[in-house]
Amino acid sequence: MVETLQREQVMGWLSEVADPEIPVLTITDLGIVRDVDCSDGVTVSLTPTYSGCPATEAIEASVIAALEERGVENVSIRRVLSPPWTTDWISEAGRNKLRVYGIAPPERRARPVACPRCESSNTEVVSEFGSTACKAAHKCLDCLEPFEYFKCL
């Protein structure tokens, strides 16, 4: 039972580790924390959002730092590449945080992307490439505001 309590405590701490590219999201919002094993030190299993993600090493360092700051010794990271991460793993809370932050969350429906500011579906793609590889640039044709869309992966 103590092992479960330790795991839950570590998961709570990890829920405070921000994504370096979209700081409004945590790594648990993104769903990249696959497991926490507290049997021999702490091993955190993480799945990168994609194999070439430049934030992977920064996230791993942030996890280690967050746990060491709380007195956890012997922290290790295990990269889990299979199954690959998908935007389906983003929590509902994470999707809401994206929307409030001004980024349209990923949707698998074949319909226009809704503007996160005015909720209009009268939008258009400006560029398939946004500020990071996982986002695309869009524009709302009603409120005329530009916004990013978190692409489905």
Side-chain angles (χ1 to χ4, degrees):
M1 194 63 151
V2 173
E3 188 172 307
T4 302
L5 181 61
Q6 290 177 341
R7 181 185 184 282
E8 289 173 3
Q9 187 172 34
V10 171
M11 286 296 291
W13 293 333
L14 295 177
S15 72
E16 298 173 11
V17 176
D19 175 69
E21 293 180 333
I22 308 172
V24 70
L25 292 180
T26 68
I27 61 173
T28 56
D29 289 331
L30 279 171
I32 65 171
V33 179
R34 304 310 307 147
D35 193 24
V36 172
D37 181 2
C38 299
S39 60
D40 182 26
V42 174
T43 301
V44 179
S45 297
L46 299 172
T47 297
T49 54
Y50 68 98
S51 61
C53 180
T56 300
E57 290 179 1
I59 291 169
E60 291 172 354
S62 294
V63 166
I64 291 168
L67 297 181
E68 287 178 345
E69 285 172 9
R70 289 170 172 87
V72 178
E73 297 178 11
N74 193 20
V75 178
S76 61
I77 303 295
R78 180 176 162 259
R79 278 191 202 171
V80 179
L81 302 178
S82 181
W85 181 83
T86 169
T87 51
D88 294 338
W89 295 1
I90 299 174
S91 69
E92 195 57 40
R95 291 170 190 280
N96 289 332
K97 288 177 185 179
L98 282 170
R99 197 174 291 109
V100 169
Y101 192 64
I103 299 173
E107 293 187 27
R108 295 227 177 257
R109 299 178 217 153
R111 65 177 191 188
V113 173
C115 174
R117 291 179 177 83
C118 74
E119 299 181 7
S120 169
S121 59
N122 188 20
T123 64
E124 70 179 7
V125 177
V126 174
S127 173
E128 288 296 330
F129 305 98
S131 62
T132 61
C134 59
K135 294 183 293 221
H138 283 246
K139 177 174 83 173
C140 179
L141 300 174
D142 286 338
C143 73
L144 303 178
E145 288 292 321
F147 65 93
E148 290 190 300
Y149 168 64
F150 199 114
K151 298 183 221 176
C152 287
L153 299 175

